[in-house]
Amino acid sequence: MVTGVTLGSFEHLPAHSRRCSFWVLDPTSDGAAVDLEFENEVWLSTIMLEWGSCGQLLSVDGDTIGCALYCPPRAVPRASTFPTSPVSPDAVLLTQLRIDSPADADLHSATLIQAVVGDLVNRGVRALEAFGIRHNADDASPAIPNATAHATCSAATCMIDADFLEKVGFEVVAPHHRFPRLRLELDRDHGWKQDVESALEQLLVAASISVVDIEQKSTVGAR
């Protein structure tokens, strides 16, 4: 189930999202003496009071397993620091897309994207943009301890995979070998709904194939 983030639902965000420093703090700050959970709550509350809804929560069996956060780029200290900045003036910036459960992570992420897009289209927003990341060998399986989020916050752990964004319909509008900026048009005539739903269907098929492969391998191994 996907629900919008409200002023009272901060505590339901994934643990890392509640303490993440990557998007909230000024990049020139070391964040050493900062209460990150407090800073994130203030940041989200300010955006919601001044701009409106800025997040979606994904729950399974009553437990929150992921979230997506988005807002005007002016509210994001780091948004102007990328080589592919600035974000287009008609776009909202997608900052976080986090899934704590490894099972069907792409599918869950696409479901959150669909909820984000639905919210923004209803509000008349023209486009959704994101700074994606092209991962390299140095990014392999980064650890993200929940209680020490600031210590592990980095581009590798806190940015959205560019390949995934392209899977769900985003297009690169500012190429870069590491940090491309991608865009999803949201005007009602563009067909965003079909694009995202098509991506969801493809991810569902891929997830089903993976489950079958695992079951077949388990059966063979048991013989």
Side-chain angles (χ1 to χ4, degrees), residues 10-207:
F10 177 79
E11 64 183 27
H12 298 295
L13 291 172
H16 184 88
S17 297
R18 295 198 305 272
R19 295 179 51 80
C20 182
S21 65
F22 189 79
W23 297 104
V24 175
L25 297 186
D26 185 325
T28 62
S29 168
D30 63 10
V34 173
D35 182 337
L36 291 172
E37 194 152 327
F38 175 76
E39 291 295 328
N40 273 276
E41 186 169 15
V42 169
W43 182 70
L44 280 171
S45 297
T46 300
I47 294 170
M48 283 187 275
L49 288 171
E50 295 180 353
W51 183 69
S53 175
C54 63
Q56 301 291 328
L57 291 171
L58 176 64
S59 301
V60 175
D61 296 329
D63 296 323
T64 301
I65 64 167
C67 74
L69 300 178
Y70 47 97
C71 63
R74 65 177 182 275
V76 183
R78 191 176 291 273
S80 62
T81 67
F82 291 95
T84 48
S85 297
V87 175
S88 302
D90 64 345
V92 163
L93 180 63
L94 177 67
T95 57
Q96 284 198 43
L97 185 62
R98 180 167 295 279
I99 300 294
D100 280 350
S101 171
D104 298 332
D106 276 2
L107 181 61
H108 290 319
S109 295
T111 300
L112 280 169
I113 290 287
Q114 189 177 42
V116 171
V117 169
D119 174 44
L120 295 179
V121 167
N122 289 335
R123 294 162 67 179
V125 174
R126 290 297 305 278
L128 179 64
E129 293 192 2
F131 293 104
I133 185 170
R134 303 284 188 199
H135 289 285
N136 57 34
D138 294 334
D139 298 337
S141 301
I144 310 177
N146 288 337
T148 56
H150 177 62
T152 56
C153 284
S154 66
T157 59
C158 302
M159 292 184 69
I160 306 168
D161 183 77
D163 291 342
F164 170 78
L165 289 170
E166 290 180 298
K167 283 182 184 177
V168 292
F170 283 75
E171 296 182 354
V172 174
V173 291
H176 189 265
H177 69 283
R178 182 69 164 158
F179 303 119
R181 177 163 51 87
L182 300 96
R183 179 180 173 96
L184 182 64
E185 299 288 348
L186 302 184
D187 56 281
R188 292 182 183 275
D189 296 330
H190 182 261
W192 66 266
K193 186 175 179 64
Q194 291 85 348
D195 289 347
V196 177
E197 287 183 347
S198 175
L200 275 168
E201 289 176 4
Q202 292 176 21
L203 290 168
L204 271 170
V205 171

